[in-house]
C-alpha cells in the first residue's frame, strides 16, 4: 500500500500556506529608524536555534507543501552559517521547493553573493531607502551607502536578480521615489515601495513619517503610465509596469489596502516561534515541540498553527502604541 503523503498546510479560513519566511537572526549591522531603536537588546546566543535546527524545521515545512522560503532577519548575512543553511534548504529546489530567496540590507553582498548563487538563490530583495549618502546614513543611523551600492553591483554581477525595497517615508525620502524608480529601471532592478508599519518601539513617532502609498501611486500616475500586472511573487506586493521606463514597481500597502485575504505566509523567528501573522501575537513554539517530541510533535504543532492563524492583521497607523511590541527584525520582514 502506498504511504500516505503528509497533509498540506491549510488554515481555518481555507488559505493554503505555501510561503515561509525565516528570521535567521534578530541582529543587524544597521539601525534603520523605522525598524529599530538606536540601542537594541538582542537575544543571547543560548536562545537562538542552531543552523541545523532551522534546516530541520525548514525540511518539515517543505514536506508539508511550502514551496517558497525567504531568509531574512535582522540582517541574515550577519548570521554565521547562513550560507550553509541556504545550501541545506537549496537542495530541495526543483524537488518540492520552487524558490529560495533572501532579504538583505546589502552591506555584505560584495562577499556573499557567489555563495548564495551556489546555494540556488536566484533572486534577492535589497533594502535601499535613499541614494543620497547623508540621508542613507540618517535613515539607517550607521550605514555607508557606497558599501551597499557595491554589494548590489556584486550581486548583479554574480547573476542574482534584484528587487529594491524602499520604505516610503514622509519628509525623509518621498522626493527620491521617482529618482529611485529611474535608477532601478536603468539597472534592470525592480522596485517595491513599502508603507511603514507599527511594529515595535523605535524611539520616536513613526506616524511623523508615515506616507500612504495610494497617494504616492496617484502622483506617479500623473507622470507615468502604470499598467497593473496580474503577476504575484508569493508576497503581498501588487505590481505595475511603468510603460515609459520599461520598469516594474510594486506597492506593499498593509495600511491603505488590506491584503490579508490572500495570505499564504507564516514566519519563523530565530528562537523557533512560528508567528502566524506579522501584525498579531498568535504563535506556536516549534523549537519546543521539536525538542520534546521530534518530527511527530513538530507536525502536530504545525497543525495547531494552522488552526490558530488569524484572519487579518490589526495595524492602524493612528494608534499611539505599536500594533505588536516585537520589531520587524524579530519576526522577519
Ligand atoms: N535587514 C534586512 C533588510 O533590511 O532588508 C532584512 C530584514 S528587514 C526587517 C526586511 C524589510 O522590512 C526591509 O525591507 C525593511 O525596510 C522592512 N521594514 C523594517 N521595519 C519596517 C516597518 N516598521 N515597516 C515597514 N517595513 C519595515
Ligand atoms: Fe536592519 Fe533591515 Fe531593520 Fe534596517 S530594516 S535595521 S537593515 S533589519
Amino acid at each position: 500500500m502506498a504511504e500516505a503523503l503528509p497533509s498540506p498546510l491549510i488554515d481555518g479560513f481555507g488559505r493554503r500556506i505555501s510561503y515561509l519566511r525565516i528570521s535567521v537572526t534578530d541582529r543587524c549591522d544597521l539601525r534603520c529608524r523605522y525598524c529599530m531603536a538606536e540601542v537594541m537588546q538582542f537575544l543571547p546566543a543560548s536562545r537562538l536555534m542552531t543552523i541545523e535546527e532551522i534546516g530541520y524545521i525548514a525540511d518539515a515545512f517543505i514536506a508539508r507543501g511550502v514551496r517558497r522560503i525567504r531568509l531574512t532577519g535582522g540582517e541574515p548575512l550577519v548570521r554565521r552559517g547562513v550560507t550553509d543553511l541556504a545550501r541545506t534548504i537549496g537542495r530541495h529546489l526543483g524537488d518540492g521547493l520552487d524558490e529560495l530567496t533572501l532579504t538583505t540590507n546589502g552591506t555584505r553582498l560584495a562577499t556573499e553573493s557567489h555563495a548564495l548563487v551556489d546555494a540556488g538563490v536566484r533572486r534577492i530583495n535589497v533594502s535601499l531607502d535613499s541614494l543620497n549618502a547623508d540621508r542613507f546614513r540618517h535613515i539607517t543611523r550607521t550605514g555607508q551607502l557606497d558599501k551597499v551600492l557595491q554589494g548590489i553591483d556584486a550581486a548583479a554581477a554574480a547573476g542574482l536578480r534584484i528587487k529594491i525595497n524602499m520604505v516610503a517615508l514622509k519628509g525623509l525620502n518621498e522626493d527620491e521615489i521617482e529618482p529611485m524608480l529611474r535608477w532601478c529601471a536603468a539597472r534592470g532592478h525592480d522596485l517595491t515601495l513599502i508603507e511603514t508599519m507599527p511594529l515595535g518601539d523605535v524611539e520616536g513617532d513613526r506616524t511623523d513619517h508615515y506616507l500612504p502609498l495610494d497617494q504616492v501611486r496617484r502622483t506617479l500616475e500623473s507622470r507615468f503610465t502604470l499598467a497593473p500586472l496580474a503577476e504575484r511573487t508569493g508576497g503581498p506586493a501588487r505590481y505595475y509596469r511603468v510603460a515609459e521606463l520599461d520598469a516594474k514597481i510594486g506597492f506593499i500597502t498593509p495600511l491603505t489596502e488590506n491584503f490579508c485575504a490572500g495570505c499564504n505566509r507564516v514566519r519563523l523567528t530565530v528562537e523557533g516561534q512560528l508567528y502566524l501573522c506579522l501584525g498579531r501575537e498568535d504563535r506556536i513554539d516549534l523549537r519546543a515541540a521539536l525538542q520534546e517530541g521530534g518530527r511527530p510533535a513538530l507536525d502536530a504543532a504545525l497543525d495547531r498553527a494552522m488552526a490558530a492563524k488569524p484572519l487579518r492583521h490589526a495595524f492602524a497607523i493612528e494608534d499611539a502604541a505599536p500594533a505588536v511590541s516585537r520589531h520587524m527584525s524579530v519576526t522577519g520582514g
Side-chain angles (χ1 to χ4, degrees), residues 88-123:
T88 302
I89 298 175
R91 75 187 196 286
H92 294 286
L93 284 164
D95 183 21
L97 189 66
D98 293 338
E99 191 175 37
L100 173 62
T101 56
L102 175 104
T103 301
T104 174
N105 63 26
T107 59
R108 298 189 179 202
L109 280 174
T111 52
E112 303 302 322
S113 292
H114 282 288
L116 294 173
V117 171
D118 288 347
V121 176
R122 295 291 172 264
R123 224 165 48 94

Side-chain angles (χ1 to χ4, degrees), residues 21 23 25 27-30 32-36 70-77 102-106 125-129 164-169 192 194-200 202 206 252 254-255 278 327-333:
R21 296 195 181 193
S23 175
T25 176
R27 287 169 192 267
C28 188
D29 51 349
L30 303 183
C32 303
R33 287 171 187 273
Y34 50 80
C35 178
M36 290 193 181
R70 176 175 297 280
L71 302 179
T72 178
E75 173 45 40
L77 296 179
L102 175 104
T103 301
T104 174
N105 63 26
N125 290 359
V126 185
S127 299
L128 182 61
D129 298 324
I164 299 295
N165 277 349
M166 177 183 192
V167 177
L169 300 162
T192 294
I194 307 176
E195 282 173 353
T196 172
M197 292 174 245
L199 299 170
V202 289
R206 265 197 202 88
I252 298 187
L255 294 141
L278 182 59
H327 293 91
M328 181 80 131
S329 48
V330 171
T331 332

Side-chain angles (χ1 to χ4, degrees), residues 163-183:
K163 181 154 71 74
I164 299 295
N165 277 349
M166 177 183 192
V167 177
L169 300 162
K170 187 165 72 182
L172 284 180
N173 67 3
E174 59 183 307
D175 58 337
E176 283 198 71
I177 292 174
E178 187 180 325
M180 185 69 86
L181 178 60
R182 291 182 183 280
W183 184 87

Side-chain angles (χ1 to χ4, degrees), residues 95-296:
D95 183 21
L97 189 66
D98 293 338
E99 191 175 37
L100 173 62
T101 56
L102 175 104
T103 301
T104 174
N105 63 26
T107 59
R108 298 189 179 202
L109 280 174
T111 52
E112 303 302 322
S113 292
H114 282 288
L116 294 173
V117 171
D118 288 347
V121 176
R122 295 291 172 264
R123 224 165 48 94
I124 57 172
N125 290 359
V126 185
S127 299
L128 182 61
D129 298 324
S130 176
L131 289 167
N132 171 297
D134 294 334
R135 271 195 194 175
F136 182 80
R137 171 161 292 258
H138 175 76
I139 294 170
T140 60
R141 292 198 184 98
T142 56
Q144 266 178 271
L145 177 66
D146 54 352
K147 215 165 137 185
V148 173
L149 297 183
Q150 280 161 21
I152 292 173
D153 286 346
L160 290 166
R161 273 196 53 207
I162 293 163
K163 181 154 71 74
I164 299 295
N165 277 349
M166 177 183 192
V167 177
L169 300 162
K170 187 165 72 182
L172 284 180
N173 67 3
E174 59 183 307
D175 58 337
E176 283 198 71
I177 292 174
E178 187 180 325
M180 185 69 86
L181 178 60
R182 291 182 183 280
W183 184 87
C184 288
R187 287 159 184 77
H189 308 328
D190 296 336
L191 173 65
T192 294
L193 302 176
I194 307 176
E195 282 173 353
T196 172
M197 292 174 245
L199 299 170
D201 205 347
V202 289
E203 297 161 358
D205 191 349
R206 265 197 202 88
T207 52
D208 290 352
H209 297 297
Y210 169 62
L211 183 61
L213 286 182
D214 48 358
Q215 186 183 311
V216 171
R217 194 169 62 210
R218 278 197 297 277
T219 307
L220 285 173
E221 276 168 344
S222 69
R223 309 260 303 123
F224 302 102
T225 316
L226 264 57
L229 294 171
E231 158 190 350
R232 305 296 293 262
T233 52
R238 300 261 147 77
Y239 291 99
Y240 295 77
R241 174 133 308 273
V242 186
E244 292 79 356
L245 301 176
D246 191 25
K248 197 166 88 178
I249 187 165
F251 296 86
I252 298 187
T253 55
L255 294 141
T256 53
E257 203 181 336
N258 184 276
F259 45 57
C260 301
C263 185
N264 58 355
R265 293 173 290 288
V266 287
R267 299 164 194 263
L268 180 65
T269 73
V270 70
E271 288 186 279
Q273 299 287 343
L274 186 71
Y275 278 94
L276 304 165
C277 172
L278 182 59
R280 297 270 187 186
E281 303 290 356
D282 309 73
R283 62 178 186 271
I284 302 278
D285 190 339
L286 296 188
R287 189 188 202 190
L290 182 62
Q291 288 174 342
E292 280 156 23
R295 186 61 172 263

